[in-house]
């Protein structure tokens, strides 16, 4: 019997998918009605039996200082008896096609403990997430010049959007995002530190019981302007209260490496590596043209992108003053067509995110081209480094 992959036809198929997600993850997607209302839910169905599903969420991500239309793949689950038959790939590709054609996404990202699976589909790892735990007793005294306050959402959004543009990966959170996170982090408190009546940083925190007594302050969102605001914000989270016995930063709330190493007098911090986020370019030409690039390199290169199946697509790239133009085909008037950089699709994605220089990729056997062309493209992508502080 044929297996259909598409949007759920009714509530029964949706409930079938949610049951599989509960089995795979030990829980159902947080506030799934909101995610389904603003994204696309896909299922794999054979007859009346749901065999898998996933959620595909449209948003934009910052790359090179510019928001690029993107999307997230989340809560992908396949029935245990159907794993290995290609359903996960079918669900991912069908959902990504919806993101591209219905929402204009140029790329897609996902959190996964199994990057090798996605790598076989042409995705690649951008950055490994870490969780950090520290003890309030190890914190330096909060610097002067800051006041603790409860900031409004608009001020937090302005600060976050300004700081997020300095990284590759942060989500430009859509309007529904804040309400969704508020519902799935019940009891969260947002604290800010003010300097000269201006918000210099904020943290969103919940508390959990800590054995044998006291509480753990769990940080879900943490943004600060400059290094001097960081200890002030840490002091606000700890509040110098004996009840707060530890501060835990959830997965990827801090970039890796974290700024804690430059802010603490005593580095008594426990780091636990989690799993990476991966990405793929759904539309190579549009993704390249939408990203911000370093304004200094100029010139042109022919880029050959190779799919996991061995199919090649050529793009003539010309760039100047931070703008890149990509034309399908290998004709490049400013250079001989023999000057080609050849990349697997996954290497292209990692380089795009600032996670892997092409010179390093060449040493790993993951890129081919003249050293001067690889260096030119690396200079073009210089600047922001990868960090995805948003969970989905």
């Amino acid at each position: 019997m044929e297996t259909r992959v598409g949007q759920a036809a009714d509530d029964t198929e949706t409930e079938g998918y949610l049951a599989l997600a509960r089995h795979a993850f030990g829980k159902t997607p947080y506030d799934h009605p909101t995610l389904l209302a603003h994204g696309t839910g896909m299922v794999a169905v054979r007859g009346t039996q749901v065999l898998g599903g996933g959620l595909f969420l449209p948003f934009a991500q910052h790359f090179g200082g510019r928001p690029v239309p993107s999307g997230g793949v989340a809560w992908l689950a396949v029935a245990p008896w159907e794993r290995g038959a290609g359903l996960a790939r079918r669900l991912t590709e069908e959902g990504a096609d919806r993101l591209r054609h219905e929402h204009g996404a140029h790329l897609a990202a996902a959190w996964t403990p199994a990057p090798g699976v996605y790598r076989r589909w042409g995705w690649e790892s951008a950055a490994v997430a870490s969780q950090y735990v520290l003890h309030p007793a190890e914190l330096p005294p909060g610097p002067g010049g800051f006041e603790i306050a409860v900031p409004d959402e608009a001020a937090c959004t302005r600060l976050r959007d300004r700081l997020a543009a300095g990284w590759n990966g942060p989500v430009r959170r859509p309007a529904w995002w804040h309400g969704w996170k508020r519902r799935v982090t019940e009891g969260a408190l947002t604290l800010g530190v003010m300097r000269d009546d201006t918000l210099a940083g904020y943290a969103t925190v919940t508390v959990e019981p800590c054995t044998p007594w006291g509480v753990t302050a769990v940080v879900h969102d943490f943004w600060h302007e400059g290094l001097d605001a960081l200890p002030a914000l840490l002091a606000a989270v700890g509040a110098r209260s004996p009840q707060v016995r530890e501060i835990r930063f959830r997965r990827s709330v801090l970039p890796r490496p974290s700024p804690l190493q430059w802010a603490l007098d005593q580095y008594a911090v426990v780091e636990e590596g989690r799993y990476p986020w991966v990405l793929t370019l759904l539309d190579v030409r549009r993704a390249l043209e939408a990203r911000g690039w370093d304004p200094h390199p100029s010139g042109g290169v022919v880029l050959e992108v190779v799919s996991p199946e061995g199919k090649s697509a050529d793009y003539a790239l010309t760039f100047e003053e931070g703008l890149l133009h990509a034309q399908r085909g290998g004709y490049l008037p400013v250079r001989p067509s023999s000057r080609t950089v050849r990349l697997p699709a996954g290497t292209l994605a990692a380089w795009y995110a600032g996670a892997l220089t092409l010179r390093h990729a060449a040493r790993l056997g993951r890129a081919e081209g003249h050293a001067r062309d690889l260096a030119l493209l690396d200079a073009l992508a210089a600047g922001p480094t990868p960090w995805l502080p948003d969970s989905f």
Side-chain angles (χ1 to χ4, degrees):
M1 185 180 295
E2 183 180 357
T3 300
R4 173 180 63 85
V5 174
Q7 288 186 274
D10 50 38
D11 291 343
T12 299
E13 291 187 355
T14 298
E15 289 300 323
Y17 157 64
L18 293 175
L20 288 176
R22 189 180 303 110
H23 179 85
F25 301 103
K27 53 194 172 186
T28 54
Y30 307 115
D31 189 18
H32 55 268
T34 294
L35 299 182
L36 288 168
H38 295 281
T40 299
M42 302 291 289
V43 292
V45 182
R46 184 183 302 138
T48 60
Q49 187 176 31
V50 179
L51 305 175
L55 299 175
F56 300 84
L57 311 173
F59 42 65
Q61 289 178 264
H62 293 276
F63 287 94
R66 298 173 65 184
V68 179
S70 178
V73 180
W75 298 90
L76 188 67
V78 173
W81 57 91
E82 290 291 333
R83 291 172 189 165
L87 274 187
R89 181 170 188 173
R90 282 188 62 189
L91 284 162
T92 301
E93 291 180 348
E94 291 280 351
D97 280 346
R98 296 289 183 105
L99 288 173
R100 178 183 176 186
H101 295 297
E102 296 180 9
H103 300 282
H106 303 337
L107 58 95
W111 288 103
T112 178
V117 173
Y118 283 82
R119 189 172 295 124
R120 291 193 290 273
W121 306 342
W123 298 56
E124 191 48 88
S125 171
V128 173
S130 279
Q131 174 177 281
Y132 297 89
V133 177
L134 56 87
H135 298 280
E138 308 294 344
L139 296 179
F146 292 92
E147 295 182 1
I148 300 176
V150 178
D152 61 47
E153 183 180 337
C156 292
T157 298
R158 287 193 299 270
L159 178 65
R160 183 182 64 246
D161 286 350
R162 180 160 49 82
L163 297 176
W167 300 85
N168 289 331
V171 170
R172 191 176 189 180
R173 300 175 184 176
W176 55 268
W177 191 280
H178 180 76
W180 168 54
K181 284 296 183 181
R182 186 166 49 200
R183 285 189 290 275
V184 301
T185 53
E186 186 177 354
L189 173 65
T190 296
L191 294 171
V193 290
M194 309 292 293
R195 178 172 47 197
D196 299 328
D197 297 323
T198 301
L199 184 66
Y202 80 90
T204 300
V205 185
T206 60
V207 293
E208 297 177 357
C210 184
T211 303
W213 60 270
V215 298
T216 296
V218 182
V219 183
H220 300 264
D221 216 13
F222 193 85
W223 296 86
H224 58 93
E225 179 90 78
L227 193 60
D228 59 339
L230 192 152
L233 193 54
L234 288 174
V237 172
R240 297 295 175 188
S241 167
Q243 289 296 321
V244 180
R245 301 195 64 220
E246 64 179 22
I247 299 172
R248 184 171 80 241
F249 293 86
R250 293 186 72 251
R251 176 194 71 185
S252 205
V253 168
L254 293 179
R256 190 172 183 262
S258 85
L260 296 174
Q261 67 191 70
W262 295 291
L264 299 181
D265 295 337
Q266 301 180 58
Y267 194 80
V269 177
V270 177
E271 177 183 357
E272 178 186 349
R274 303 297 291 272
Y275 45 81
W277 60 280
V278 296
L279 77 160
T280 189
L281 304 191
L282 304 176
D283 189 318
V284 171
R285 183 182 67 81
R286 288 188 170 88
L288 290 171
E289 292 185 338
R291 188 194 191 278
W293 303 98
D294 189 279
H296 295 100
S298 61
V301 170
V302 174
L303 180 66
E304 181 185 355
V305 182
V306 185
S307 74
E309 294 76 26
K311 297 180 180 178
S312 294
D314 292 338
Y315 301 86
L317 310 185
T318 54
F319 38 88
E320 188 175 14
E321 297 183 352
L323 298 177
L324 183 149
H325 177 69
Q327 182 176 339
R328 186 68 183 267
Y331 175 68
L332 189 64
V334 298
R335 287 211 178 155
S337 60
S338 60
R339 294 286 290 273
T340 297
V341 171
R342 190 171 193 265
L343 305 177
T347 300
L348 173 64
W351 169 77
Y352 185 94
L356 179 65
T357 66
L358 296 186
R359 283 169 290 184
H360 190 188
R363 290 192 291 270
L364 297 174
R366 300 291 295 169
E368 299 175 16
H370 194 285
R372 284 173 293 181
D373 292 326
L374 299 180
L376 181 62
L377 289 175
D378 283 342
L380 185 68
T385 54
W387 176 36
L388 179 55
D390 309 283
S391 297
F392 48 84

